């Protein structure tokens, strides 16, 4: 009897979710149609093509869980904007600053605000950002003293593969809690293929590919393997589990909204399906989309990135990680040492470091479109020869600069951190030299 009731409840829940999902996709298609109508009333052929593309996308879509309340709210918004008023609003969505999924988790009491940075360092970062002439975010924080220098520190930028940090951290945190072991076995099947760089997917045979969670963590952080990251995310409980971890650890300004395959499909204007993970199917499907669809998808992502994070939020997360406040000592060591093995971005922040410095970092690299690249990022813990560490974050929202200019910019940020450290060391030496014999700078 109870089993039958549970089956009825499950069937009812799936039916309601399916209806809500179809309503959401229909709402999106209608809203996009109105946008095209507003912008292209003088171009009927393009208008027709855009409506056909939206209708095709809607009919072919795989329904994903969504809230019926979102549908009702969206339809109310549609009525209020397009019926009650004379013209639709052109205001862009606000910048995303909160962490978590569309339903933000409550955070603990905010950590104390970082102290004021060294004026010379802040001035140099401002100069670099102004000189680049494109939207960039920078944050540099001293892991011991707690100050932070920043440029656009509270603005949201796409993380791209930087978000793999939080998936791996969720796995290590679950191991700390005894919920799983990184040594437990996991099997990847054909359905686990992702998009873009995913070397582990080539190991999937007829019977799948057997490995461990530890291997997935390493592949995600060291190689930025998308299929490894997506499988790891699935194993730790999905996006909700990562968002809960961020909230429990009080890591604000970081958002986790989707796995790599669904995120990249959404950015391109596609709906993910497993066949897109085979060979060049994703790029082929993307190339067949009308430019209007790709433009709309890219603009929506950049206006409100599903994986958005702030430079200040990322820097603060790296600071408390380095201090050992997020994970057990063993897990902290595992996490940072794995980051130090990263093979991606050798000429980003790492390229500006002199001999004697070390780096533990994670890069992010988004899709190219219309001559620009999105989410060109590097976040790191830099450690000086004397052991002093700095959290350094450089994020590029969308850049049209040549690759060499992007790399040079990141290296200049690293060099600014090194220069600040050298200046502080020189000041310390002058202070010690000024002490007269028998005097000291401390107490007993």
């Amino acid at each position: 009897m109870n089993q039958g009731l549970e089956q009825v409840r499950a069937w009812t829940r799936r039916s309601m979710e399916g209806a809500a999902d179809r309503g959401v996709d229909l709402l999106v298609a209608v809203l996009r149609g109105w946008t095209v109508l507003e912008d292209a009333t003088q171009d009927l052929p393009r208008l027709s093509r855009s409506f056909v593309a939206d209708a095709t996308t809607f009919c072919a879509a795989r329904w994903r869980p969504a809230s019926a309340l979102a549908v009702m709210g969206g339809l109310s918004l549609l009525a209020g904007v397009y019926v009650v008023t004379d013209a639709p609003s052109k205001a862009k969505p606000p910048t995303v600053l909160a962490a978590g999924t569309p339903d933000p988790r409550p955070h603990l009491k905010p950590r104390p605000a970082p102290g004021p940075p060294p004026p010379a360092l802040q001035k140099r970062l401002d100069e670099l950002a102004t000189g680049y002439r494109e939207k960039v975010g920078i944050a540099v924080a001293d892991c011991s003293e707690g100050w932070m220098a920043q440029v656009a520190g509270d603005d949201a930028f796409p993380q791209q593969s930087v978000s793999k940090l939080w998936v791996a951290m969720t796995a290590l945190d679950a191991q700390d809690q005894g919920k799983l072991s990184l040594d437990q076995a996991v099997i990847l099947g054909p359905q686990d293929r992702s998009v873009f760089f995913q070397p582990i997917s080539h190991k999937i045979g007829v019977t799948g590919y057997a490995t461990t969670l530890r291997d997935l963590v390493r592949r995600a952080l060291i190689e930025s393997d998308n299929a490894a990251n997506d499988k790891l995310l699935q194993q730790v409980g999905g996006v909700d589990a990562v968002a809960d971890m961020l909230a429990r650890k009080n890591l604000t300004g970081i958002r986790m909204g989707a796995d790599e395959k669904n995120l990249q499909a959404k950015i391109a204007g596609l709906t993910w399906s497993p066949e897109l993970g085979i060979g060049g199917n994703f790029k082929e499907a993307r190339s067949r989309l009308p430019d209007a669809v790709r433009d709309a998808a890219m603009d929506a992502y950049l206006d409100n990135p599903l994986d958005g994070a702030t430079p200040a939020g990322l820097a603060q997360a790296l600071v408390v990680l380095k201090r050992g406040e997020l994970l057990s000592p063993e897990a902290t060591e595992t996490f940072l040492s794995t980051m130090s093995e990263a093979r991606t971005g050798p000429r980003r922040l790492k390229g500006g470091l002199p001999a004697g410095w070390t780096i533990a970092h994670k890069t992010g690299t988004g899709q190219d479109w219309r001559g620009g690249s999105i989410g060109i990022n590097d976040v790191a813990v830099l450690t000086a020869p004397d052991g002093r560490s700095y959290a350094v974050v450089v994020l590029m929202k969308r850049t049209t600069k040549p690759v060499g200019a992007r790399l040079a910019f990141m290296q200049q940020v690293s060099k600014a951190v090194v220069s600040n450290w050298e200046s502080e060391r020189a000041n310390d030496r002058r202070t010690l030299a000024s002490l007269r014999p028998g005097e000291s700078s401390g107490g007993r």
Side-chain angles (χ1 to χ4, degrees):
M1 180 68 175
N2 290 338
Q3 183 177 4
L5 288 174
E6 288 301 321
Q7 291 176 344
V8 170
R9 292 192 187 100
W11 178 85
T12 303
R13 183 167 57 253
R14 288 195 300 270
S15 299
M16 292 177 66
E17 288 178 347
D21 296 339
R22 285 185 278 273
V24 168
D25 285 341
L26 179 58
L27 174 60
V28 170
V30 171
L31 287 172
R32 286 170 62 183
W34 275 109
T35 301
V36 173
L37 180 61
E38 176 190 10
D39 294 339
T41 53
Q42 303 302 318
D43 187 358
L44 292 180
R46 183 167 70 84
L47 174 62
S48 300
R49 290 196 302 272
S50 296
F51 271 119
V52 170
D54 280 336
T56 302
T57 300
F58 169 69
C59 293
R62 289 172 172 260
W63 316 125
R64 291 177 295 178
S67 170
L69 181 59
V71 178
M72 297 173 61
L75 290 174
S76 299
L77 174 63
L78 180 64
V81 171
Y82 290 99
V83 178
V84 177
T85 63
D86 293 329
S89 170
K90 290 181 176 292
K92 289 186 176 182
T95 300
V96 177
L97 299 179
T101 60
D103 296 321
R105 272 65 170 169
H107 285 268
L108 305 175
K109 183 179 179 181
R111 291 187 172 88
L121 175 61
Q122 182 64 61
K123 180 182 178 182
R124 179 56 179 156
L125 297 183
D126 289 335
E127 291 172 349
L128 290 172
T130 300
Y132 196 70
R133 299 183 182 278
E134 288 183 343
K135 179 70 172 181
V136 296
I138 309 172
V140 176
D142 187 299
C143 293
S144 56
E145 295 191 356
W147 54 255
M148 184 185 297
Q150 53 188 291
V151 176
D154 293 327
D155 291 349
F157 290 77
Q159 290 186 82
Q160 290 295 309
S161 287
V162 169
S163 66
K164 290 181 172 74
L165 290 174
W166 321 121
V167 179
M169 185 175 290
T170 302
L172 286 162
D173 180 59
Q175 178 169 262
D176 281 345
Q177 298 179 61
K179 294 181 178 179
L180 57 76
S181 168
L182 292 186
D183 295 318
Q184 69 188 52
V186 60
I187 297 178
L188 282 78
Q191 74 282 359
D192 294 314
R193 290 189 173 93
S194 186
V195 66
F196 301 139
F197 191 73
Q198 47 173 335
I200 197 174
S201 68
H202 303 304
K203 297 179 177 292
I204 299 174
V206 177
T207 59
Y209 176 67
T211 185
T212 64
L213 292 183
R214 187 181 305 278
D215 180 55
L216 296 181
V217 169
R218 291 184 57 79
R219 289 177 181 272
L221 295 184
I222 296 174
E223 301 177 357
S224 206
D225 188 308
N226 288 333
N229 181 76
D230 287 359
K231 187 65 175 181
L232 182 64
L233 177 61
Q234 178 194 87
Q235 293 293 301
V236 300
V239 168
D240 283 350
V242 178
D244 286 339
M245 184 280 296
L246 292 170
R248 284 189 293 102
K249 303 294 184 181
N250 203 24
L251 301 180
T252 58
I254 302 173
R255 193 180 191 190
M256 184 73 196
D259 61 11
E260 286 288 346
K261 56 182 177 285
N262 281 287
L263 175 68
Q264 300 304 333
K266 187 177 183 66
I267 293 170
L270 293 167
T271 299
W272 178 258
S273 57
E275 59 270 18
L276 292 179
I278 302 173
N281 287 356
F282 182 92
K283 291 183 178 179
E284 174 63 24
R286 185 179 63 179
S287 70
R288 293 196 301 265
L289 291 174
D291 285 355
V293 172
R294 292 210 58 190
D295 286 338
M298 183 65 75
D299 289 346
Y301 172 68
L302 292 177
D303 285 343
N304 191 357
L306 193 60
D307 61 341
T310 67
L314 292 173
Q316 180 64 23
L318 293 176
V319 166
V320 293
L321 169 66
K322 177 63 177 177
R323 290 176 177 175
E325 298 176 12
L326 298 181
L327 300 168
S328 67
E330 180 181 358
T332 299
E333 173 60 27
T334 296
F335 197 89
L336 289 170
S337 63
T338 305
M339 287 177 64
S340 70
E341 297 180 54
R343 298 172 188 160
T344 59
R347 296 173 59 201
R348 294 189 185 184
L349 289 171
K350 186 176 184 179
L353 296 177
W357 284 71
T358 61
I359 181 172
H361 70 132
K362 183 71 195 77
T363 58
T365 305
Q367 298 181 45
D368 295 336
W369 179 238
R370 293 198 182 279
S373 302
I374 63 170
I376 305 300
N377 308 325
D378 202 2
V379 306
V381 175
L382 307 184
T383 302
D386 66 351
R388 190 164 183 174
S389 294
Y390 303 87
V392 181
V393 174
V394 178
L395 309 176
M396 297 179 177
K397 191 169 190 177
R398 179 181 183 274
T399 180
T400 59
K401 302 282 189 181
V403 172
R406 306 171 190 180
L407 297 175
F409 177 78
M410 291 191 179
Q411 291 171 17
Q412 288 298 318
V413 173
S414 295
K415 291 176 181 178
V417 176
V418 172
S419 178
N420 176 77
W421 173 78
E422 291 174 341
S423 176
E424 291 183 340
R425 291 265 295 178
N427 289 336
D428 290 342
R429 286 194 294 269
R430 284 193 293 270
T431 299
L432 288 174
S434 68
L435 294 175
R436 287 181 245 169
E439 292 185 343
S440 71
S441 59
R444 298 182 184 178

